[in-house]
Amino acid sequence: MVRRIFLSLLLATWFSVDCNPGPIDDIAVDRYFIPKSCIREVKSGDFVRYHYNGTFTDGKLFDSSYDRGAAFFGQVGQKWQIAGVDKGILGMCVNEHRKITVPPHLAYGSQGAGDKVPPDTTLVFDLVLLDVFNRADQVQTKVISTPKECKRSVMRTDFVRFHFNGTLLDGSAFDSRLVLLSVLVATSKELFLVCLFSSGTEIPAHASLVYHILLEDLHNPKDDIIVEVMKASEPCTRKSVAGDYIRYHYNASFLNGITFDSSYQHNHTYNTYIGMGYMIAGIDKGLQGVCTGERRRIILPPHLAYGQQGAGKDIPGSAVLVFDIHVIDFHGVKDTVQVDITRKSEACNETSEVNDFIQYHYNCSLLDGTLLFTSRDYETPQDVVLGGDKIIDGLDEALRNMCVGERRTVIVPPHLGHGEKGAGIVPGSAVLRFELELVSLQKGVPEGYLFIWLEESPGHLFEALDVNQDQQVPLEEFSQFIKQQVSEGKGRLKPAQDPDSVIIDMFKNQDRNTDGLITQDELKLKVDEDAEKTRHEEL
């Protein structure tokens, strides 16, 4: 102990000795710098750590902790330091500067201290308190800020990710970096020990540590995804199931609100099958049971996202992820066209079918309401011969069995629309919504026919055609006869074409030797030709 006294240059354990009184009877304390904030004041029994310069009253230095590069550490009131300093440090705050003038009888008395301090010497100690603590002290926590919405706080066995700055009690940084850690919270002590040993920097012995912590996220290995419906879709006629193909927009962020990815930035939806392992498990699960147009938030613990490894440079390991999702549409490979009749026609004698020529108005939009096309942009309604492979299959099907004046709302899945590739401004794999109104209807004829009889054909057809009975029928007689049948409602020409052109084609089909005349041997009804052809095929 005596050796320690001299090595530490005279601040260590003091002994009661006879001495002559100095120029003062008690210590004199000059608190020449007092910090604005004082966490606590030194009291007897506390452990303290401080730097000092020891001088004589003439200012001559006889000892300094700065010169040794190590602060003094001891317990107040337990004779770890000379009596004057032990008394003079009471009530001191961390970062406070004091000059303590110690008379000889409270310093080294009449014996002095080796060759450093003569007998009966008054000493001056200039101190700055670095640290103070007591063995009864516990971890102190001060909440600096709490988010407005705190739905869950850290519990035992949770994993947490946090940023921290580490300082000593006097404010000196021992780790000025921002380090992101994942630790298992068991007790507060274990949490701080992990931080301490993760810093990799030198920390003085007997140092109190201050951590400024920003919690990034937390999770538990038992956590499942959390689904919050932000905006429901009404009505919802069908919810997504495993195996559906879905298109959705998303914003992806961490729990602190920082975005790391967004489909809006990519300017297109994310499209994939759900429930089949094509996505991270949490999203794969969270997209089942959604409605078209629904907005929902899915919070994913790391074991249902990118795990301990993270993903690339943007997603750190063990990160909890938040996906804000807007479902644009979804469909199943077996989905059919959905038809909702919004207005019926009061008088309906006939309905549209394959080969009919129709005119109709339409609005075509995505399920989120984005208008793609409308017939109102044109002077006349859209027209088409049904079954002629001129429009997408789903629309062709939806326009059948309609009455003139009828209105329908129709949902067409992409495999009956424009498919995976889309077309023009129609996105790939888009479900389409059509608003339809049938404007006019001309009944058609079967495929391959130019004219059909609506009644029984004349028993002696050639004689009916051969008006002048000269045993030959020119185009003029043929045309006059066919037009008469149509005007009397006995037959029907192929619609959506010039009648004269259709009649000319009919004539050419019968004028088999192309001499401009039809004879009785040449004349054959198509229905008879088809029947004869069938008989030959059967033979």
Side-chain angles (χ1 to χ4, degrees):
M1 185 65 71
V2 174
R3 182 184 181 191
R4 179 182 175 189
I5 293 174
F6 286 99
L7 288 177
S8 64
L9 292 184
L10 315 178
L11 261 181
T13 307
W14 63 281
F15 297 88
S16 178
V17 296
D18 294 332
C19 60
N20 295 323
I24 55 176
D25 294 331
D26 200 357
I27 62 171
V29 177
D30 176 15
R31 303 179 69 185
Y32 68 90
F33 176 78
I34 302 175
K36 293 181 180 180
S37 175
C38 184
I39 299 174
R40 61 173 286 184
E41 296 179 348
V42 175
K43 62 182 184 296
S44 182
D46 284 344
F47 289 88
V48 294
R49 210 165 48 83
Y50 58 83
H51 270 302
Y52 70 92
N53 282 320
T55 65
F56 303 117
T57 54
D58 63 359
K60 183 179 179 181
L61 184 71
F62 69 86
D63 190 17
S64 174
S65 63
Y66 297 100
D67 292 344
R68 292 193 302 278
F72 177 83
F73 172 76
Q75 189 175 15
V76 179
Q78 299 297 317
K79 298 183 180 181
W80 287 52
Q81 53 199 341
I82 60 176
V85 174
D86 211 35
K87 183 178 181 181
I89 202 171
L90 292 173
M92 198 170 183
C93 299
V94 172
N95 285 329
E96 181 179 340
H97 293 251
R98 287 186 177 185
K99 282 188 178 180
I100 306 173
T101 302
V102 183
H105 65 280
L106 294 177
Y108 295 101
S110 60
Q111 288 186 347
D115 59 354
K116 295 293 183 179
V117 180
D120 300 319
T121 303
T122 298
L123 304 179
V124 179
F125 292 90
D126 192 338
L127 280 74
V128 56
L129 185 65
L130 303 178
D131 202 341
V132 56
F133 69 92
N134 195 288
R135 294 193 187 278
D137 288 348
Q138 300 295 318
V139 173
Q140 299 179 41
T141 302
K142 178 182 178 182
V143 177
I144 299 173
S145 66
T146 301
K148 293 181 179 179
E149 294 187 6
C150 181
K151 298 180 179 179
R152 173 180 170 184
S153 56
V154 179
M155 300 179 295
R156 290 173 61 89
T157 74
D158 280 346
F159 280 84
V160 296
R161 289 193 316 123
F162 59 91
H163 285 290
F164 75 91
N165 280 326
T167 66
L168 304 179
L169 206 58
D170 65 351
S172 302
F174 67 83
D175 195 335
S176 59
R177 298 170 298 161
L178 284 177
V179 182
L180 203 56
L181 302 175
S182 294
V183 300
L184 176 63
V185 178
T187 66
S188 296
K189 182 180 292 185
E190 181 172 342
L191 171 60
F192 283 107
L193 284 176
V194 172
C195 296
L196 171 63
F197 294 125
S198 297
S199 68
T201 60
E202 183 176 351
I203 297 174
H206 311 296
S208 298
L209 305 181
V210 179
Y211 290 89
H212 294 272
I213 293 175
L214 173 63
L215 184 65
E216 290 289 326
D217 62 32
L218 70 154
H219 74 278
N220 195 284
K222 297 180 180 179
D223 285 349
D224 198 352
I225 62 171
I226 298 174
V227 175
E228 302 174 11
V229 177
M230 313 302 288
K231 181 181 178 181
S233 180
E234 295 295 340
C236 181
T237 57
R238 158 159 136 67
K239 295 184 177 182
S240 62
V241 296
D244 281 343
Y245 192 85
I246 192 168
R247 297 191 315 126
Y248 63 93
H249 273 300
Y250 68 89
N251 285 319
S253 63
F254 303 112
L255 278 183
N256 60 9
I258 297 176
T259 299
F260 64 84
D261 192 15
S262 173
S263 63
Y264 297 99
Q265 294 176 353
H266 305 312
N267 201 31
H268 62 77
T269 56
Y270 191 85
N271 310 331
T272 188
Y273 290 96
I274 59 175
M276 301 177 68
Y278 290 108
M279 298 175 287
I280 55 178
I283 296 297
D284 213 15
K285 182 178 181 180
L287 285 174
Q288 297 183 47
V290 300
C291 298
T292 295
E294 181 179 328
R295 295 179 185 268
R296 63 169 48 182
R297 174 170 292 172
I298 307 173
I299 302 175
L300 289 71
H303 53 274
L304 294 176
Y306 293 100
Q308 296 181 7
Q309 302 301 317
K313 61 181 180 61
D314 295 323
I315 303 176
S318 301
V320 177
L321 306 182
V322 180
F323 282 81
D324 288 318
I325 286 174
H326 179 201
V327 179
I328 302 301
D329 59 39
F330 59 86
H331 70 278
V333 294
K334 296 182 179 180
D335 283 356
T336 58
V337 175
Q338 301 176 40
V339 176
D340 179 23
I341 299 174
T342 56
R343 188 181 77 178
K344 292 185 177 181
S345 180
E346 294 181 359
C348 184
N349 297 321
E350 56 187 8
T351 60
S352 57
E353 58 186 353
V354 173
N355 297 316
D356 287 350
F357 176 77
I358 64 169
Q359 289 183 308
Y360 63 98
H361 276 301
Y362 70 90
N363 292 322
C364 175
S365 61
L366 302 177
L367 293 191
D368 64 357
T370 301
L371 182 65
L372 300 176
F373 311 102
T374 176
S375 61
R376 306 292 179 179
D377 289 341
Y378 306 96
E379 294 182 356
T380 60
Q382 179 74 29
D383 58 59
V384 72
V385 175
L386 292 177
D389 199 26
K390 299 298 183 181
I391 55 178
I392 58 174
D393 293 345
L395 180 57
D396 195 288
E397 179 182 334
L399 286 165
R400 301 178 191 180
N401 301 312
M402 287 187 75
C403 299
V404 173
E406 182 178 325
R407 291 181 180 177
R408 293 178 172 182
T409 298
V410 176
I411 306 299
V412 178
H415 52 274
L416 297 174
H418 291 284
E420 294 182 4
K421 295 183 178 180
I425 62 173
V426 180
S429 300
V431 178
L432 300 179
R433 183 178 188 268
F434 286 90
E435 295 172 336
L436 304 174
E437 179 184 3
L438 188 61
V439 176
S440 67
L441 166 63
Q442 295 181 42
K443 299 302 292 182
V445 298
E447 184 69 28
Y449 283 71
L450 299 174
F451 173 88
I452 60 170
W453 292 99
L454 301 179
E455 298 179 356
E456 289 291 332
S457 61
H460 300 285
L461 180 58
F462 185 79
E463 286 79 358
L465 287 166
D466 186 13
V467 177
N468 60 9
Q469 301 298 311
D470 61 355
Q471 300 301 309
Q472 55 188 12
V473 180
L475 175 60
E476 182 180 354
E477 286 183 343
F478 185 84
S479 178
Q480 182 180 355
F481 175 80
I482 295 299
K483 288 180 179 180
Q484 182 180 353
Q485 306 309 305
V486 173
S487 65
E488 294 176 356
K490 296 178 181 180
R492 182 165 65 234
L493 288 169
K494 184 176 183 179
Q497 295 187 21
D498 176 54
D500 289 330
S501 298
V502 175
I503 293 173
I504 290 174
D505 288 340
M506 292 174 61
F507 182 84
K508 289 179 179 179
N509 289 339
Q510 298 300 325
D511 182 16
R512 302 177 191 279
N513 60 8
T514 66
D515 63 355
L517 298 169
I518 300 175
T519 63
Q520 187 167 4
D521 292 338
E522 290 177 311
L523 183 65
K524 290 183 180 180
L525 295 177
K526 180 167 177 52
V527 64
D528 295 331
E529 289 182 323
D530 290 345
E532 183 178 347
K533 181 179 179 180
T534 301
R535 287 195 299 271
H536 285 306
E537 289 176 351
E538 290 176 350
L539 290 175

